[in-house]
Amino acid sequence: MASSLDPTPEDLKSFAASSAVVAVCFWAFKSAGWTQLPYYLLLGGLTVLSREIGQRMVAQWMDAYIELRTSVEGSATSLFGAFTALITGLPIILLFPLTSSFSGRKYEHWGKSIDAIWAKRQYWLTMGGLTTLFAAWYIAYLLNYQLLAEVTILFMFFQLMPFNYETIPTSKLDGAYILLWSGFTWLIVMGATLMAIAVTLF
């Protein structure tokens, strides 16, 4: 079985595109100068990487597969927010640049009842990514890496949105998987995220 820790070329392209969108949106949100854009690209890459590490570690444990995809509609929505922030000078940020799809091969799961518990597996996969994302925020906050702390917790907040509707211009976000399995867990995680945003930004 191919390891879920080994990304495909498509995964790497989606990673680069999603990181760039996160970077541009956060750069516009902070009204930073052009010379700082490369640093923001690094922050965007670290943020997306934090989520990916958690999801792929859980996927490896569960014999599952993850496909990282750039969300065209979500990226367009995010970049529209960045453009609005640039022309108005208002602190506007939207971060919906990516989505993940999960799968498993039945012949690799004989005896594991994958069909009966697949929704729970998706829940754990998304929670794995959010856990490492929250850990990245916490470490950055403790070490006083202010910008990294801000972008990681803001990205986590937007990923927790339970969006999975055709009328909303984003792809399926992590929050939709969590809310499907446990609304109580979603409330707890969202509450912790809002408190982290409060202590980081205010």
Side-chain angles (χ1 to χ4, degrees), residues 27-42:
W27 170 79
F29 171 70
K30 299 299 290 185
S31 299
W34 287 101
T35 57
Q36 293 182 288
L37 189 55
Y39 178 59
Y40 280 79
L41 288 171
L42 174 62

Side-chain angles (χ1 to χ4, degrees), residues 1-74:
M1 182 183 75
S3 172
S4 58
L5 296 176
D6 298 328
T8 65
E10 290 74 20
D11 288 331
L12 294 176
K13 291 177 184 177
S14 295
F15 172 81
S18 301
S19 299
V21 172
V22 170
V24 169
C25 293
F26 189 58
W27 170 79
F29 171 70
K30 299 299 290 185
S31 299
W34 287 101
T35 57
Q36 293 182 288
L37 189 55
Y39 178 59
Y40 280 79
L41 288 171
L42 174 62
L43 294 177
L46 289 174
T47 299
V48 177
L49 181 63
S50 298
R51 174 183 178 271
E52 281 298 292
I53 287 174
Q55 286 195 356
R56 291 180 184 273
M57 287 176 63
V58 176
Q60 181 72 8
W61 172 53
M62 289 185 171
D63 294 339
Y65 295 90
I66 295 177
E67 183 179 352
L68 178 65
R69 298 175 179 172
T70 302
S71 170
V72 176
E73 62 271 34

Side-chain angles (χ1 to χ4, degrees), residues 84-118:
T84 304
L86 284 174
I87 63 174
T88 64
L90 297 174
I92 298 170
I93 186 168
L94 299 170
L95 295 175
F96 307 114
L98 56 82
T99 186
S100 295
S101 61
F102 311 113
S103 61
R105 298 173 184 170
K106 289 186 177 181
Y107 69 85
E108 295 173 349
H109 293 265
W110 288 340
K112 298 181 183 179
S113 302
I114 183 172
D115 293 336
I117 62 172
W118 185 240

Side-chain angles (χ1 to χ4, degrees), residues 121-160:
R121 286 174 180 259
Q122 292 176 319
Y123 162 81
W124 282 113
L125 287 163
T126 52
M127 281 298 295
L130 293 173
T131 299
T132 51
L133 196 55
F134 191 82
W137 164 79
Y138 187 65
I139 293 170
Y141 181 75
L142 286 181
L143 297 178
N144 202 30
Y145 294 143
Q146 180 66 23
L147 290 178
L148 181 58
E150 288 183 24
V151 69
T152 50
I153 202 62
L154 285 171
F155 183 69
M156 182 171 175
F157 169 76
F158 284 106
Q159 278 299 303
L160 274 168

